[in-house]
Amino acid sequence: MSTGEIKRVIIIGAGQAGGETAQRLRQAGFTGDITLIGEEPAAPYQRPPLSKAYLKGDLDMDRLLLRPTNLYSEENITLLTSLRAVWIDRANRKVRVEGGRELPYDALVLATGARPRKLPLVGADLDGVFLFRTAADADALRPRMVSGAKLVVIGAGYIGLEAAAVARQLGLDVTVIEMAVRPLARVTSPEVAGFFLDEHTRQGVRFVLGGQPAIIKGRERVTGVALTDGSEIPADIVLAGIGVTPEVTLAQQCGLAVENGIVTNRQCLTSDPAIYAIGDCASRPMAHFEQRVARLESVHNAVEGAKIVAAAITGGKPHTEEAPWFWSDQYDLKLQIAGLFQGYDRVVLRGVMADRAFAAFYYKGPKLIAVDAVNRPAEYLGAKMLIQTGRTVAPSELEDESRPMKEIVAAAR
């Protein structure tokens, strides 16, 4: 079907990716029907602040929304909340929702996101044990975040450490259990992981590294976490931050290709020419990384997918992809990341970690592939530009702090 024949677009998933897609379609001049289906009661909202300012109480729900709810009706976007899509009929191009209603489409966008992994432990259903993915999860946890309460975080990824930072700032007693030998083991280098370990320890967080939870203790409410070594950590609250699983149920049911997410090409098109997939649920080739296929869980990836799909559906100019970027706020530290560090063989530091402002640059051979910048926005922006344009600089140039980052970038080839 040509772009001119697309009159009805259905978007399944009303998170950031789905909400951005609806908005980008209208901005690109699409005048047909847009139906946005979401399981949550709220209109599309930002998820990253949930484990930061929202959990701390510094941000309310209205400020989380991507846009005011009334704008959807004003732009003739049908927003269906608290509703689950249950089946895709590819042959007849229809989506069935709960209750049996069937909605026809010419183009379908799957923005179904991901679901948090539940702790595979006895006691995981006790009162006081929380997963963390939605505003409802944060709303349930926030009243328990009171000074003096004992919080055990299982998993030392970004979500776990962000929640730990908020908890310490609110006066909670915090212990983080991580099976790996360091926090952030899957997402950054030992050098940067060590910095954040030291920072959290300085702030009063206790770590059990290489720890394996065995059981969540308690009868009706959680009282502690027992480890396989026989030790037990008291707990009033347990927060599971052990990663997410892409939500691919609908895709699998209708026979789309799935491999660590819904498989797409560079244009976010699935194995069905009428169905796109974007955001946390999708796995696609990364433009700046030699056709490496990845599934990225980030705001950038959600927005990028929306831009790509809007251009494809409307026949507009193809979107020029940016280098992947991410961020994390912990205490007064802003970590900004550009690129994908996996496969690096050298890390170059610019700045001094003890000053709590530095950047770690990752090289694969002579090529700069990623940066982790802590309170160093110029280094983040400069490295992001270099990666995006395929340029690089010699490590010795980055180590020379007498040269501003802007000057180094301008001279790069």
Side-chain angles (χ1 to χ4, degrees):
M1 177 176 291
S2 67
T3 56
E5 296 174 301
I6 296 175
K7 305 298 182 186
R8 299 167 298 189
V9 176
I10 292 179
I11 305 164
I12 302 178
Q16 180 130 25
E20 290 278 357
T21 302
Q23 183 179 355
R24 300 283 174 180
L25 282 168
R26 286 291 185 244
Q27 289 176 347
F30 182 74
T31 58
D33 295 337
I34 301 175
T35 301
L36 181 57
I37 304 170
E39 295 186 19
E40 294 184 63
Y45 63 87
Q46 308 169 69
R47 293 194 192 277
L50 293 179
S51 56
K52 307 178 185 78
Y54 187 78
L55 183 61
K56 194 177 178 183
D58 292 343
L59 204 64
D60 59 25
M61 189 63 196
D62 285 345
R63 291 176 61 195
L64 282 187
L65 296 176
L66 294 183
R67 55 215 306 257
T69 304
N70 64 292
L71 290 184
Y72 294 93
S73 58
E74 289 180 11
E75 295 184 359
N76 196 27
I77 297 169
T78 302
L79 175 60
L80 304 176
T81 58
S82 301
L83 186 66
R84 189 166 65 95
V86 296
W87 192 261
I88 298 170
D89 179 351
R90 289 171 54 190
N92 296 298
R93 291 188 176 173
K94 293 181 179 179
V95 171
R96 186 182 306 153
V97 298
E98 288 173 316
R101 182 182 174 194
E102 293 188 340
L103 308 173
Y105 67 84
D106 300 316
L108 175 63
V109 182
L110 298 178
T112 47
R115 59 182 182 274
R117 293 194 182 104
K118 185 178 177 181
L119 290 169
L121 302 174
V122 172
D125 294 323
L126 286 170
D127 180 34
V129 180
F130 294 88
L131 300 177
F132 201 92
R133 179 69 178 176
T134 67
D137 294 333
D139 289 342
L141 176 60
R142 192 157 56 175
R144 312 279 187 110
M145 300 280 281
V146 294
S147 181
K150 296 179 175 64
L151 168 66
V152 173
V153 178
I154 300 178
Y158 289 128
I159 294 293
L161 293 190
E162 288 168 359
V166 169
R168 283 302 299 141
Q169 290 170 315
L170 294 175
L172 280 76
D173 180 282
V174 182
T175 302
V176 176
I177 302 172
E178 169 58 49
M179 291 178 60
V181 296
R182 63 178 186 270
L184 304 174
R186 291 173 292 277
V187 294
T188 193
S189 63
E191 292 87 347
V192 175
F195 168 80
F196 279 96
L197 174 61
D198 291 345
E199 178 63 24
H200 279 274
T201 301
R202 188 177 71 83
Q203 297 281 356
V205 177
R206 290 184 296 277
F207 283 84
V208 180
L209 299 174
Q212 175 69 58
I215 188 171
I216 309 296
K217 306 281 289 214
R219 292 190 175 182
E220 294 181 357
R221 292 194 59 169
V222 63
T223 60
V225 178
L227 304 181
T228 54
D229 65 4
S231 62
E232 184 174 326
I233 303 169
D236 302 307
I237 313 162
V238 172
L239 176 62
I242 58 172
V244 298
T245 302
E247 182 48 78
V248 297
T249 305
L250 284 172
Q252 289 176 322
Q253 286 176 344
C254 71
L256 296 177
V258 172
E259 184 178 348
N260 184 31
I262 305 167
V263 177
T264 78
N265 63 13
R266 284 274 300 277
Q267 287 69 48
C268 300
L269 197 62
T270 70
S271 50
D272 183 314
I275 302 179
Y276 299 85
I278 62 173
D280 292 3
C281 70
S283 183
R284 65 181 175 90
M286 296 289 104
H288 305 284
F289 294 89
E290 299 172 354
Q291 294 300 303
R292 176 183 167 193
V293 175
R295 189 181 63 80
L296 302 182
E297 300 159 12
S298 69
V299 168
H300 165 255
N301 190 46
V303 175
E304 190 97 309
K307 291 177 179 178
I308 292 170
V309 167
I313 288 176
T314 60
K317 180 182 177 182
H319 171 63
T320 301
E321 296 176 55
E322 295 182 354
W325 52 262
F326 316 82
W327 85 93
S328 177
D329 294 327
Q330 299 172 40
Y331 308 108
D332 60 342
L333 303 171
K334 177 170 284 293
L335 169 64
Q336 294 174 289
I337 304 154
L340 302 174
F341 89 114
Q342 289 83 357
Y344 80 96
D345 51 35
R346 182 177 182 181
V347 60
V348 176
L349 290 179
R350 180 177 170 89
V352 180
M353 286 187 174
D355 294 338
R356 305 174 82 250
F358 67 93
F361 296 85
Y362 299 97
Y363 282 81
K364 185 176 183 180
K367 185 178 181 182
L368 177 65
I369 60 171
V371 66
D372 290 336
V374 176
N375 293 344
R376 294 290 286 257
E379 278 71 13
Y380 160 72
L381 291 170
K384 181 172 176 284
M385 180 61 68
L386 291 173
I387 295 164
Q388 191 162 311
T389 56
R391 294 178 292 156
T392 195
V393 295
S396 58
E397 295 185 56
L398 293 172
E399 291 171 328
D400 180 5
E401 285 221 72
S402 67
R403 295 186 65 195
M405 190 67 192
K406 186 176 181 180
E407 178 184 309
I408 293 173
V409 173
R413 297 184 180 277

